[in-house]
Amino acid sequence: DGGITQSPKYLFRKEGQNVTLSCEQNLNHDAMYWYRQDPGQGLRLIYYSQIVNDFQKGDIAEGYSVSREKKESFPLTVTSAQKNPTAFYLCASSMGPLSYSPLHFGNGTRLTVT
Amino acid sequence: EDKVVQSPLSLVVHEGDTVTLNCSYEVTNFRSLLWYKQEKKAPTFLFMLTSSGIEKKSGRLSSILDKKELFSILNITATQTGDSAVYLCAVGTLGEETSGSRLTFGEGTQLTVNP
């Protein structure tokens, strides 16, 4: 079955450590996205990539980094520069432009930093 | 700045009730409005609306868009406990040439359906 796989489901880290969240898709979608979800707030876009070897900052990119070396993979690194990293992170992909193509989401990674 | 506001933020009903969830927006270069259902983890797509007044329907769920008054509603009839979820509204816009299309999400409405 086609879909998006995020791993791990839960991640615990100490403050000051970088951590990488995995996102793999087999939907053959060109575009991939990372969102952050916090209680009481809508999903906020961190980074997106419309094609391999290219990515753009979203609305809250500070303290995060990404890479897109393969079409199927779009890992997100949460660096120690991110002031409030504890959140639920969702990876998504779409077949076409955001405003016309529904997003397909992974099951998310819940990151807790203490 | 684009803005999407959902109401109510939280709603508790009994099985069999009908509910209406609201989504209003203030955006530049509107292109579409999308509804998603999120049960614990991955949001799943429900509807995409681009034209005013045309109802989209899927089983007990239906949605309609009013581009003049800048809002959409999501109706769920004969609610079941399985409808309990967060319902997310998102508005798609076409940005500047360099930024392409964007999606702005509302906070979501937490619906709880009690037996």
Side-chain angles (χ1 to χ4, degrees):
Chain A
D1 281 339
I4 298 184
T5 302
Q6 288 188 243
S7 62
K9 287 183 184 176
Y10 300 96
L11 195 49
F12 298 88
R13 278 295 181 268
K14 297 280 188 190
E15 217 173 281
Q17 292 179 332
N18 290 357
V19 60
T20 297
L21 282 57
S22 168
C23 176
E24 303 278 330
Q25 56 105 352
N26 61 3
L27 297 165
N28 201 33
H29 287 169
D30 284 318
M32 295 187 75
Y33 312 85
W34 274 104
Y35 285 92
R36 171 180 170 140
Q37 189 173 32
D38 295 281
Q41 296 197 46
L43 273 65
R44 291 182 292 167
L45 183 64
I46 304 172
Y47 265 99
Y48 64 100
S49 167
Q50 293 177 309
I51 198 166
V52 174
N53 291 324
D54 186 52
F55 48 83
Q56 309 292 332
K57 290 183 180 180
D59 299 319
I60 54 165
E62 188 176 342
Y64 300 97
S65 66
V66 293
S67 62
R68 187 89 187 273
E69 295 173 7
K70 298 187 299 181
K71 187 174 184 176
E72 302 79 20
S73 179
F74 192 40
L76 173 75
T77 296
V78 184
T79 75
S80 55
Q82 167 49 233
K83 292 189 172 66
N84 188 15
T86 294
F88 187 54
Y89 291 88
L90 284 162
C91 179
S93 70
S94 69
M95 195 182 304
L98 261 183
S99 54
Y100 286 118
S101 305
L103 289 167
H104 296 256
F105 286 92
N107 279 332
T109 293
R110 191 166 296 280
L111 173 65
T112 303
V113 176
T114 55
Chain B
E1 187 184 329
D2 294 340
K3 200 170 162 187
V4 177
V5 177
Q6 292 186 246
S7 63
L9 293 180
S10 180
L11 189 54
V12 181
V13 300
H14 291 290
E15 259 191 324
D17 288 351
T18 292
V19 297
T20 298
L21 310 184
N22 302 290
C23 176
S24 64
Y25 60 90
E26 289 177 38
V27 302
T28 305
N29 292 329
F30 173 90
R31 284 295 178 266
S32 61
L33 187 144
L34 299 96
W35 285 97
Y36 290 87
K37 177 183 181 181
Q38 185 177 22
E39 297 173 88
K40 304 281 185 190
K41 295 177 182 177
T44 52
F45 170 72
L46 294 175
F47 299 112
M48 180 164 68
L49 304 150
T50 55
S51 302
S52 263
I54 298 174
E55 186 183 53
K56 295 253 178 145
K57 206 166 162 64
S58 176
R60 295 176 294 102
L61 277 67
S62 64
S63 183
I64 198 160
L65 173 67
D66 186 329
K67 286 166 78 172
K68 186 179 173 190
E69 300 297 330
L70 309 182
F71 77 92
S72 172
I73 59 171
L74 175 68
N75 275 325
I76 309 176
T77 59
T79 51
Q80 302 170 357
T81 54
D83 294 326
S84 296
V86 174
Y87 289 84
L88 299 168
C89 172
V91 175
T93 57
L94 189 60
E96 299 294 326
E97 204 173 299
T98 53
S99 62
S101 56
R102 292 176 53 86
L103 204 59
T104 302
F105 281 86
E107 287 180 46
T109 292
Q110 171 72 62
L111 174 65
T112 303
V113 181
N114 289 326

